[in-house]
Amino acid sequence: MALPAPPPGDGSSLGPSLLAPQAGPLACRLLLGPSPRWFPPTQVVFEKGGVYLHTSAKKYQDRDSLIAGVIRVVEKDNDVLLHWAPVEEAGDSTQILFSKKDSSGGDSCAPEEEPTFDPGYEPDWAVISTVRPQPRHSEPTRGAEPSCPQGSWAFSVSLGELKSIRRSKPGLSWAYLVLVTQAGGSLPALHFHRGGTRALLRVLSRYLLLASSPQDSRLYLVFPHDSSALSNSFHHLQLFDQDSSNVVSRFLQDPYSTTFSSFSRVTNFFRGALQPQPEGAASDLPPPPDDEPEPGFEVISCVELGPRPTVERGPPVTEEEWARHVGPEGRLQQVPELKNRIFSGGLSPSLRREAWKFLLGYLSWEGTAEEHKAHVRKKTDEYFRMKLQWKSVSPEQEQRNSLLHGYRSLIERDVSRTDRTNKFYEGPENPGLGLLNDILLTYCMYHFDLGYVQGMSDLLSPILYVIQNEVDAFWCFCGFMELVQGNFEESQETMKRQLGRLLLLLRVLDPQLCDFLDSQDSGSLCFCFRWLLIWFKREFPFPDVLRLWEVLWTGLPGPNLHLLVACAILDMERDTLMLSGFGSNEILKHINELTMKLSVEDVLTRAEALHRQLTACPELPHNVQEILGMAPPTEPHSPSPPAPPPPLSPTRAPPTPPLPTDTAPQPDSSLEILPEEEDDDGADS
């Protein structure tokens, strides 16, 4: 689609300037000259108002940073142009063409030293490029500072110059499109405040073939309506084998469905363009209304959150305060109040050994002291029966049991490097390492289907450190695994679902940060994988992990508080990530360098404030309410996978409720009781 050259001597801005060699960086340049005397025949085939440019990277856009405009598709002679102009001169005949080169003359309205954001090739967070268009030459008002007029952002580009179109991820902000040219430069992102992206893409599909990229389901590659050109493009891109029998289906496969399908299920609006059409059927895509929600996610306009409340955490629960909640029979009283105190302040180190058994479901909050003793005796017998199962396997038998042999080898390797800097586990002959090994092997007998997966030793280590009893630590570990066992499933469906929920929460709380991460190929939040897998075990100092876990185990103020903890960390690092111009590698490096540098009290305070801010919003999306436990989950529209993992709510009852029996004797001598740590305060900060 080459632009036609107007008659000689013509001053039209739609002349051959696009083809003339220019000097300077890629930009949207303003072509100046006398009023045109000749216009090729034009026809406006599409027009949509309410299309804005966002000129600021601030978290909250102000009026001065929004430029309202009109987008048009214009047939002009033998070419088709996509033109955007601000409202103030949407009807002006003066055009601004997209040029591969910018002239070296002219001063920019913005000072050279003014810092600007350069989103690069794919500016998903929709901030316009560093390179600004040249201003119209007009006399500035006397006594006023020269300023960039809104009209200087207008542009026009031939559809033949387009290479790809990036569509915003479905979410809570305004939809936008980013146009990328054959030269590799990107035009300012177009934000559709009143909808219209579908309608525009349908119109463009009349002139172009829009095909979803196999690497990115939101990136549409642009081809002319020429089957030979498309085949040649496939050949050069090496997307398919030569013997492929179904090129279309392979080309249109959604990469998210095989990797992180739960992050966003994006409907491909252009499948009909590549699929065979029945005879007599229209070649255009079906025209759904602009406000029709896309399947697979909840489309919501911008959610206005109220101010973030101030949160103050309380002091830890002491032994004296705990004792005031113990009734005459040893039954705990006013449990909700006690849990709320643990949530707001945590536990003192000397109290953890007893309280963690309740938080992890090993002992019942409603049981009496006698019932607890009977329950411990029953669980002690059960544990040693399971331990005997693998203890009695001879080395010859184990050679024929590849599963058990594999578990043992993996556990030995992981245990040997788990928290070895902690005094409780340091040294080659440390008895704590033997107990870690025995408990994890016994868990393989307890949960045959799951067995052992790397990362479980990280979850057991703090529990054994606090409980200091093999049997009690095992059952407390089982209670913890009831909450997070889905994290270790081979399918990783639970991890994908959690990352998807985290992304949804973050998009409600900070859509600008999400757009920035998206633009740097970090929108999947994969750098948070380790956070969620082992509940921030390696992100905080060991004493802080104890405080964090006991707060999360209360189940307050609702389920999935650990996702808000992740949001709190990202919120704390927001300015560093966005204002430093980090790419994907730098983002990953920065997140990894946060290890052991975070304050657990600061993070918990911010996470609770985020929860209050969300729950106070009267128009909170239903799927966000589900994550926060404010609304019951909706029935899935598609069959769920078999045997779904338990919900991530630390309020599950223990798998076997305590049965009242006779008073149990003292633990027998076969139990390995570990000595108390002398410096008990070292377990907390």
Side-chain angles (χ1 to χ4, degrees):
M1 293 185 186
L3 281 173
D10 176 63
S12 171
S13 61
L14 294 179
S17 300
L18 180 63
L19 305 178
Q22 304 286 341
L26 185 67
C28 295
R29 68 182 297 265
L30 176 64
L31 301 180
L32 302 174
S35 299
R37 296 167 294 174
W38 171 85
F39 295 97
T42 61
Q43 179 183 359
V44 178
V45 296
F46 175 82
E47 181 175 295
K48 180 67 179 178
V51 181
Y52 285 70
L53 298 187
H54 291 193
T55 63
S56 172
K58 295 178 180 178
K59 184 173 182 179
Y60 299 103
Q61 301 283 339
D62 51 33
R63 289 183 177 273
D64 295 336
S65 65
L66 301 178
I67 303 178
V70 178
I71 188 73
R72 293 189 179 101
V73 177
V74 181
E75 291 182 354
K76 188 176 183 67
D77 200 7
N78 295 324
D79 200 2
V80 183
L81 305 174
L82 184 66
H83 173 65
W84 181 91
V87 173
E88 62 185 19
E89 51 179 64
D92 194 349
S93 60
T94 303
Q95 299 288 332
I96 298 173
L97 292 180
F98 180 82
S99 173
K100 296 180 181 179
K101 301 286 186 179
D102 192 13
S103 61
S104 57
D107 297 329
S108 176
C109 295
E112 292 184 2
E113 66 273 8
E114 178 182 353
T116 54
F117 291 92
D118 186 2
Y121 176 73
E122 295 175 352
D124 267 10
W125 51 306
V127 178
I128 52 184
S129 177
T130 327
V131 183
R132 302 193 178 209
Q134 297 180 7
R136 299 179 186 272
H137 294 286
S138 58
E139 293 295 330
T141 305
R142 187 179 301 271
E145 294 292 333
S147 60
C148 286
Q150 291 188 355
S152 64
W153 292 112
F155 65 86
S156 182
V157 61
S158 170
L159 297 190
E161 289 291 320
L162 294 180
K163 178 181 180 181
S164 63
I165 300 175
R166 173 170 285 276
R167 195 161 187 259
S168 60
K169 181 174 293 186
L172 307 177
S173 302
W174 292 299
Y176 60 85
L177 299 176
V178 177
L179 308 177
V180 181
T181 66
Q182 296 288 350
S186 57
L187 293 170
L190 301 173
H191 292 254
F192 291 74
H193 287 204
R194 304 175 191 169
T197 55
R198 292 188 180 190
L200 175 60
L201 293 172
R202 283 198 301 271
V203 172
L204 295 181
S205 67
R206 301 177 190 173
Y207 307 96
L208 302 169
L209 187 60
L210 305 176
S212 176
S213 166
Q215 282 78 31
D216 188 342
S217 60
R218 296 184 295 112
L219 181 65
Y220 302 110
L221 307 180
V222 177
F223 302 99
H225 274 302
D226 184 342
S227 58
S228 62
L230 180 61
S231 300
N232 191 43
S233 300
F234 283 157
H235 173 72
H236 287 296
L237 291 175
Q238 297 180 350
L239 298 179
F240 310 105
D241 299 330
Q242 293 181 355
D243 59 349
S244 175
S245 59
N246 192 354
V247 171
V248 172
S249 64
R250 293 187 61 191
F251 183 74
L252 293 172
Q253 65 182 349
D254 185 356
Y256 287 93
S257 64
T258 56
T259 53
F260 297 104
S261 58
S262 64
F263 295 161
S264 62
R265 291 170 285 173
V266 183
T267 303
N268 187 347
F269 297 106
F270 309 106
R271 296 190 178 183
L274 294 181
Q275 291 174 343
Q277 296 285 345
E279 293 186 5
S283 60
D284 292 339
L285 296 172
D290 290 339
D291 57 353
E292 176 184 345
E294 299 183 21
F297 52 84
E298 185 174 353
V299 179
I300 306 163
S301 58
C302 295
V303 177
E304 295 293 338
L305 297 178
R308 188 174 299 175
T310 302
V311 173
E312 293 184 3
R313 292 185 53 78
V317 178
T318 62
E319 290 183 295
E320 293 75 14
E321 184 177 355
W322 179 276
R324 291 197 295 268
H325 287 268
V326 179
E329 297 181 350
R331 194 191 307 272
L332 290 173
Q333 301 173 340
Q334 300 175 327
V335 173
E337 177 185 339
L338 181 58
K339 284 185 178 181
N340 189 68
R341 277 287 296 115
I342 298 173
F343 167 76
S344 63
L347 295 162
S348 60
S350 59
L351 184 57
R352 286 185 174 130
R353 183 174 183 180
E354 179 179 1
W356 278 26
K357 299 174 186 178
F358 292 90
L359 290 170
L360 290 169
Y362 178 40
L363 299 180
S364 170
W365 294 94
E366 294 78 20
T368 64
E370 295 300 320
E371 291 171 347
H372 291 158
K373 291 179 181 178
H375 180 69
V376 168
R377 180 179 183 179
K378 175 186 175 182
K379 288 299 183 181
T380 299
D381 294 340
E382 186 176 345
Y383 172 79
F384 281 104
R385 282 198 301 269
M386 291 185 293
K387 185 176 181 179
L388 185 62
Q389 292 176 0
W390 63 266
K391 278 281 193 181
S392 60
V393 176
S394 65
E396 293 77 13
Q397 288 178 304
E398 186 173 324
Q399 292 299 322
R400 296 185 293 271
N401 190 333
S402 59
L403 186 62
L404 178 60
H405 180 73
Y407 285 151
R408 186 191 293 272
S409 300
L410 185 58
I411 290 172
E412 289 177 354
R413 184 172 71 240
D414 286 358
V415 163
S416 65
R417 55 192 182 189
T418 299
D419 292 327
R420 296 307 303 274
T421 58
N422 189 305
K423 292 183 179 180
F424 191 78
Y425 296 109
E426 67 181 3
E429 302 298 331
N430 193 299
L433 300 180
L435 292 184
L436 282 175
N437 181 85
D438 290 358
I439 292 174
L440 292 172
L441 274 172
T442 305
Y443 185 79
C444 294
M445 302 293 105
Y446 172 78
H447 201 312
F448 282 105
D449 293 336
L450 185 60
Y452 177 79
V453 182
Q454 283 184 307
M456 291 183 179
S457 61
D458 280 288
L459 302 184
L460 173 60
S461 170
I463 294 177
L464 182 59
Y465 171 86
V466 169
I467 302 299
Q468 301 191 9
N469 175 281
E470 180 181 1
V471 174
D472 295 346
F474 171 82
W475 291 113
C476 288
F477 173 69
C478 291
F480 194 6
M481 287 301 300
E482 284 291 312
L483 308 178
V484 299
Q485 67 179 12
N487 294 1
F488 300 95
E489 292 176 341
E490 187 175 359
S491 67
Q492 294 191 352
E493 287 300 322
T494 300
M495 287 300 301
K496 297 173 189 176
R497 183 163 57 249
Q498 288 186 82
L499 286 170
R501 290 173 175 175
L502 174 59
L503 180 60
L504 178 58
L505 289 174
L506 190 62
R507 187 161 291 279
V508 176
L509 291 165
D510 196 340
Q512 284 75 26
L513 176 58
C514 281
D515 288 342
F516 167 74
L517 295 174
D518 239 1
S519 70
Q520 304 302 326
D521 295 326
S522 301
S524 62
L525 304 181
C526 290
F527 51 83
C528 300
F529 187 90
R530 187 178 70 184
W531 295 0
L532 306 183
L533 179 69
I534 53 177
W535 276 28
F536 309 94
K537 166 61 166 54
R538 300 184 184 179
E539 318 311 319
F540 293 93
F542 195 86
D544 285 358
V545 172
L546 308 183
R547 171 60 49 81
L548 174 64
W549 284 5
E550 63 198 14
V551 170
L552 295 177
W553 290 336
T554 63
L556 300 174
N560 297 311
L561 179 63
H562 65 299
L563 300 182
L564 289 175
V565 169
C567 290
I569 297 175
L570 294 176
D571 185 69
M572 295 168 67
E573 300 300 318
R574 178 187 192 275
D575 291 343
T576 302
L577 293 174
M578 294 187 65
L579 301 181
S580 300
F582 286 161
S584 58
N585 292 335
E586 290 80 8
I587 291 174
L588 179 60
K589 181 176 181 291
H590 178 76
I591 293 298
N592 287 335
E593 289 176 349
L594 295 177
T595 301
M596 304 301 164
K597 298 179 182 179
L598 298 169
S599 168
V600 70
E601 291 297 329
D602 292 344
V603 171
L604 286 173
T605 299
R606 189 168 302 223
E608 184 178 356
L610 293 176
H611 184 275
R612 294 185 185 182
Q613 185 181 25
L614 288 171
T615 53
C617 178
E619 299 178 354
L620 198 64
H622 182 77
N623 49 2
V624 179
Q625 295 183 35
E626 292 179 0
I627 296 174
L628 301 178
M630 301 170 58
T634 56
E635 292 296 328
H637 298 287
S638 58
S640 57
L648 293 176
S649 170
T651 56
R652 283 178 60 112
T656 305
L659 299 176
T661 57
D662 296 335
T663 302
Q666 296 296 324
D668 56 48
S669 58
S670 61
L671 286 177
E672 302 177 68
I673 307 297
L674 300 180
E676 295 282 354
E677 284 284 283
E678 295 180 0
D679 185 12
D680 204 13
D681 293 336
D684 199 2
S685 58

